[in-house]
Amino acid sequence: VRIFGLFQDVTAEQHAKVELERSRILLEEMSALSGVGGWEYDSASQKILWSKETRRIHDVDDAFEPTPESLRALFAPGALEIQEASVLRATTTGLPSACEYDCVTAKGRTIRIRNVCRVEQSEGQVTRLVGTVQDITRERELERTLGRTESLLKDISQLTGVGGWEVTLPSGNPIWTSQVRRIFEADDSFEPTHEAFLKLLPPEALE
């Protein structure tokens, strides 16, 4: 009776697996910190894959299977058409395409999504779509709040006749509000440099 066996050095393969797992963990950590999730669609298998961060953004667990049918429930009215148009631009031009739309998460939260789609091709045929999604709800809320604040300050300035100005450092470039321009009867083309401002003052104001 003879027993035969084989040995194979798989050190390199095991090292590659370890490095791949490290890269995967690092990528997930970076994704969580940045709030950017990833997705992909394989045209051959017609499978949609979501990263852990993408699932977190949409409030779904690991059991959720992203299919064209299940994803429809996560789009706010009109959002699906926006996303489909973005994908069409990417597949038609071969260039990355970005869009924004409202999404309703599995927990019923309405959020604002920025979606970027990129196409992978082989021999002129689309083989895969890959992209990123980011929850920009807070960013858009801050922009709206800032816009309302600026509008309110403008109204107060007009009612009180008080204008504001500021100087940015280290450039020293002055910025005037519209009310200050009205006071000095200067239009939007006027550059309020130090020299130009001095010309607007009477001689006694310079003493």
Side-chain angles (χ1 to χ4, degrees):
V1 177
R2 290 189 299 175
I3 299 175
F4 294 91
L6 296 172
F7 290 98
Q8 182 180 7
D9 184 357
V10 295
T11 305
E13 180 181 346
Q14 291 303 310
H15 284 170
K17 288 181 178 179
V18 171
E19 288 302 318
L20 182 61
E21 180 63 13
R22 285 176 180 170
S23 298
R24 185 189 66 79
I25 293 174
L26 178 60
L27 183 60
E28 286 187 355
E29 291 177 348
M30 292 174 62
S31 178
L33 287 172
S34 64
V36 177
W39 61 268
E40 67 175 77
Y41 171 75
D42 188 285
S43 58
S45 64
Q46 297 187 339
K47 287 283 188 179
I48 300 174
L49 300 178
W50 274 11
S51 70
K52 182 179 294 186
E53 184 63 15
T54 300
R55 292 178 178 275
R56 187 198 65 78
I57 290 173
H58 292 84
D59 291 333
V60 298
D61 56 24
D62 292 341
F64 175 80
E65 184 177 353
T67 65
E69 293 73 26
S70 64
L71 292 181
R72 289 182 180 276
L74 300 177
F75 285 96
L80 182 59
E81 291 77 9
I82 295 174
Q83 197 263 353
E84 288 178 343
S86 179
V87 171
L88 181 60
R89 285 195 303 272
T91 55
T92 302
T93 65
L95 300 174
S97 177
C99 65
E100 291 184 16
Y101 53 82
D102 289 329
C103 179
V104 180
T105 73
K107 293 182 178 180
R109 296 186 304 115
T110 299
I111 59 176
R112 189 71 173 175
I113 291 290
R114 178 187 288 124
N115 190 324
V116 179
C117 174
R118 182 170 58 83
V119 174
E120 291 185 359
Q121 299 184 11
S122 177
E123 298 180 354
Q125 298 295 319
V126 175
T127 57
R128 200 164 65 122
L129 300 176
V130 295
T132 58
V133 292
Q134 183 180 16
D135 181 356
I136 59 172
T137 308
R138 181 60 177 164
E139 180 182 334
R140 291 295 176 258
E141 288 175 349
L142 289 174
E143 288 178 354
R144 286 194 293 269
T145 300
L146 180 60
R148 288 194 296 268
T149 301
E150 290 178 343
S151 178
L152 179 60
L153 288 174
K154 184 177 181 179
D155 291 342
I156 293 174
S157 177
Q158 290 176 345
L159 288 171
T160 60
V162 177
W165 59 270
E166 66 177 274
V167 176
T168 58
L169 298 177
S171 66
N173 295 326
I175 299 175
W176 281 8
T177 65
S178 59
Q179 185 63 16
V180 173
R181 291 181 177 276
R182 190 195 65 79
I183 291 172
F184 286 98
E185 298 181 346
D187 58 26
D188 292 340
S189 64
F190 177 76
E191 297 255 353
T193 62
H194 179 67
E195 293 76 13
F197 173 64
L198 292 180
K199 293 179 181 180
L200 298 177
L201 301 178
E204 58 269 20
L206 301 175
E207 296 177 357

